[in-house]
């Protein structure tokens, strides 16, 4: 067994296994369009320009029951990690009135077992998992979605 392992190592070191042709990958998009356009997946293209975020404004209407509110402003460069949450600088119970921002929902203080905590629950701490800022992007696909009538 030791001889076999030694022979394999010698082959690797000599580049015997490294000389094999790399596998051929299919990078064709099949004509599908995405944010990259119809650029071949294996090529580099100029990045799309950044979208224009709306300046602070009125809240967006919700389109379905239990939809998390959408963010009506830019969140680029907001620090949200295990130690800091920039969103809470405006939306915490303590700061919301002074910042004229909506308060964080009381549901964000509950654990999955229904226990109410004194601070935001870890499962609700990373705001951008559910709440997203809106931009001036055109839809990538046709959309025939109709909002719930009772929300209009």
């Amino acid at each position: 067994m030791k001889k076999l392992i030694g022979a394999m190592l010698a082959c690797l070191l000599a580049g015997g296994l490294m000389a094999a042709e790399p596998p051929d990958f299919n990078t064709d998009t099949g004509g599908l369009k995405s944010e990259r356009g119809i650029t071949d997946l294996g090529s580099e293209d100029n990045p799309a320009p950044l979208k224009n975020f709306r300046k602070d404004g009125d809240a967006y209407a919700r389109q379905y029951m239990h939809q998390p509110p959408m963010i009506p402003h830019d969140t680029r460069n907001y620090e949200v990690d295990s130690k800091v949450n920039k969103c809470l600088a405006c939306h915490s119970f303590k700061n919301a009135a002074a910042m004229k921002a909506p308060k964080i929902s009381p549901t964000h203080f509950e654990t999955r077992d229904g226990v109410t905590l004194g601070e935001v629950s870890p499962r609700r701490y990373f705001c951008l998992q559910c709440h997203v800022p809106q931009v001036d992007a055109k839809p990538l696909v046709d959309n025939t979605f109709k909002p719930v009538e009772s929300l209009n």
Side-chain angles (χ1 to χ4, degrees), residues 2 6 9 11 19 21 29 32 42 48-49 59 72 75 88 90 92 107 117 122 128 137 145:
K2 288 182 182 179
L9 284 173
C11 185
E21 291 282 326
T29 63
L32 295 176
T75 58
L88 295 177
C90 296
S92 67
T107 61
L117 305 174
L128 297 174
F145 178 81

Side-chain angles (χ1 to χ4, degrees), residues 3 22 42 61 63 71 78-79 96 104 125 132 136 142:
K3 288 183 180 183
Q63 302 295 308
I71 303 170
Y78 272 35
E79 184 176 4
I104 187 172
Y125 183 79
V132 295
D136 62 352
D142 289 335

Side-chain angles (χ1 to χ4, degrees), residues 37-55:
I38 51 175
T39 304
D40 182 60
L41 295 176
S43 66
E44 291 293 323
D45 196 13
N46 291 329
L50 292 174
K51 304 295 183 198
N52 292 319
F53 287 94
R54 187 174 131 180
K55 302 293 182 216

